[in-house]
């Protein structure tokens, strides 16, 4: 990770300034207790199909594991306050799987997750070199499916999409760079994508 560019994405939103960024280890350590609380929320854990409580140490361990696997985790902030995380995982060439969580229930279902997801996709498809992104939701997670559809995702029944699913009834979806750029031309004029200063942390 130290030799790879870390990206920061910023954009305005009606309720405040948004920033998504690939964190240093120090930033993950600072965020870990709150992220663990987000993951352990009963609604969030059900939508993420988590079966065990996470500690701050578990969050940090997961961060290390993601980097070791070549994944690209991001932290999400609204007006400098941590509100969730997102990542691109299971990366193979120019394809990846996407996941995102806005942690506080009071901030869910209000467009914040959609805005952050669009920002992350802008970076993934414009500067990180991806051409197609996949995402999988459980049938009960209607809000996440709606968010993906707003981004331009479509149900994908290909074997490649199915490979990301854990269960037969999971819903696999995908979007490619051309589809995204066509659907979000306005957003792309507002998003600022910058490389973060190199760090060994």
């Amino acid at each position: 990770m130290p030799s790879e560019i870390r990206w920061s994405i910023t954009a305005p939103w009606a309720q405040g300034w948004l920033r998504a960024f690939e964190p240093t280890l120090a930033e993950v350590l600072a965020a870990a207790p709150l992220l663990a609380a987000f993951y352990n929320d009963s609604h969030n854990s059900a939508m993420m199909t988590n079966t065990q409580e996470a500690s701050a140490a578990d969050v940090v361990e997961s961060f290390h594991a993601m980097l070791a696997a070549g994944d690209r985790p991001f932290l999400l902030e609204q007006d400098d306050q941590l509100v969730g995380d997102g990542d691109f995982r299971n990366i193979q060439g120019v394809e990846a799987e996407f996941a995102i969580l806005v942690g506080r229930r009071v901030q869910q279902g209000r467009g914040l997750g959609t805005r952050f997801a669009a920002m992350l996709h802008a970076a993934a498809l414009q500067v990180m070199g991806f051409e197609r992104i996949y995402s999988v939701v459980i049938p009960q997670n209607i809000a996440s499916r709606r968010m993906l559809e707003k981004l331009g995702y479509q149900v994908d029944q290909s074997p490649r999409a199915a490979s990301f699913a854990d269960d037969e009834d999971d819903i696999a979806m995908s979007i490619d760079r051309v589809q995204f750029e066509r659907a979000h031309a306005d957003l792309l004029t507002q998003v600022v994508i910058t490389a973060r200063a190199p760090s060994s942390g």
Side-chain angles (χ1 to χ4, degrees), residues 120-143:
L120 290 170
H121 280 68
L125 296 166
Q126 291 204 311
V127 301
M128 294 171 67
F130 295 119
E131 292 290 335
R132 179 172 290 276
I133 309 293
Y134 298 86
S135 194
V136 174
V137 296
I138 62 174
Q140 302 93 314
N141 198 345
I142 297 170

Side-chain angles (χ1 to χ4, degrees), residues 10-61:
T10 58
W13 193 55
Q15 281 74 45
W17 194 257
L18 306 184
R19 177 181 180 231
F21 60 97
E22 292 185 278
T24 64
L25 175 57
E27 290 165 335
V28 172
L29 288 168
L34 185 52
L35 286 176
F38 290 163
Y39 300 161
N40 294 333
D41 172 88
S42 58
H43 173 80
N44 294 341
S45 62
M47 294 301 98
M48 298 164 64
T49 64
N50 288 343
T51 57
Q52 295 182 330
E53 281 214 352
S55 66
D58 292 330
V59 173
V60 176
E61 182 179 345

Side-chain angles (χ1 to χ4, degrees), residues 97-98 134-138 148 161-162 164-167 170-173:
E97 181 186 7
F98 172 70
Y134 298 86
S135 194
V136 174
V137 296
I138 62 174
L148 294 170
F164 296 106
D166 292 324
D167 296 305
D170 285 348
I171 302 165
M173 309 177 74

Side-chain angles (χ1 to χ4, degrees), residues 11 26 59 75 90 92 109 113 146 154:
V59 173
L75 297 183
N90 296 322
Q92 292 188 19
R146 186 179 301 123
Q154 297 179 347

Side-chain angles (χ1 to χ4, degrees), residues 1-195:
M1 183 70 174
S3 62
E4 209 165 353
I5 296 174
R6 285 190 179 95
W7 295 103
S8 175
I9 311 116
T10 58
W13 193 55
Q15 281 74 45
W17 194 257
L18 306 184
R19 177 181 180 231
F21 60 97
E22 292 185 278
T24 64
L25 175 57
E27 290 165 335
V28 172
L29 288 168
L34 185 52
L35 286 176
F38 290 163
Y39 300 161
N40 294 333
D41 172 88
S42 58
H43 173 80
N44 294 341
S45 62
M47 294 301 98
M48 298 164 64
T49 64
N50 288 343
T51 57
Q52 295 182 330
E53 281 214 352
S55 66
D58 292 330
V59 173
V60 176
E61 182 179 345
S62 175
F63 173 76
H64 282 300
M66 292 186 77
L67 294 187
D71 299 342
R72 306 295 292 266
F74 286 79
L75 297 183
L76 313 177
E77 292 182 345
Q78 179 181 354
D79 292 332
D80 299 320
Q81 299 297 311
L82 182 71
V83 297
D85 64 353
D87 63 78
F88 297 97
R89 61 183 71 172
N90 296 322
I91 296 169
Q92 292 188 19
V94 295
E95 298 183 336
E97 181 186 7
F98 172 70
I100 189 171
L101 173 69
V102 171
R104 293 183 179 87
R105 294 285 290 127
V106 295
Q107 293 179 304
Q108 296 174 1
R110 299 186 177 186
L112 183 60
T114 302
R115 184 69 167 181
F116 269 122
M119 292 166 58
L120 290 170
H121 280 68
L125 296 166
Q126 291 204 311
V127 301
M128 294 171 67
F130 295 119
E131 292 290 335
R132 179 172 290 276
I133 309 293
Y134 298 86
S135 194
V136 174
V137 296
I138 62 174
Q140 302 93 314
N141 198 345
I142 297 170
S144 288
R145 179 170 180 176
R146 186 179 301 123
M147 176 199 71
L148 294 170
E149 288 172 343
K150 287 180 180 177
L151 289 176
Y153 273 77
Q154 297 179 347
V155 173
D156 188 335
Q157 297 180 325
S158 69
R160 173 68 170 143
S163 71
F164 296 106
D166 292 324
D167 296 305
E168 287 186 5
D169 61 349
D170 285 348
I171 302 165
M173 309 177 74
S174 71
I175 189 171
D176 66 26
R177 182 176 55 80
V178 173
Q179 290 170 320
F180 179 81
E181 291 177 350
R182 184 185 302 126
H184 299 281
D186 289 344
L187 172 77
L188 296 176
T189 67
Q190 302 173 38
V191 169
V192 176
I193 306 170
T194 56

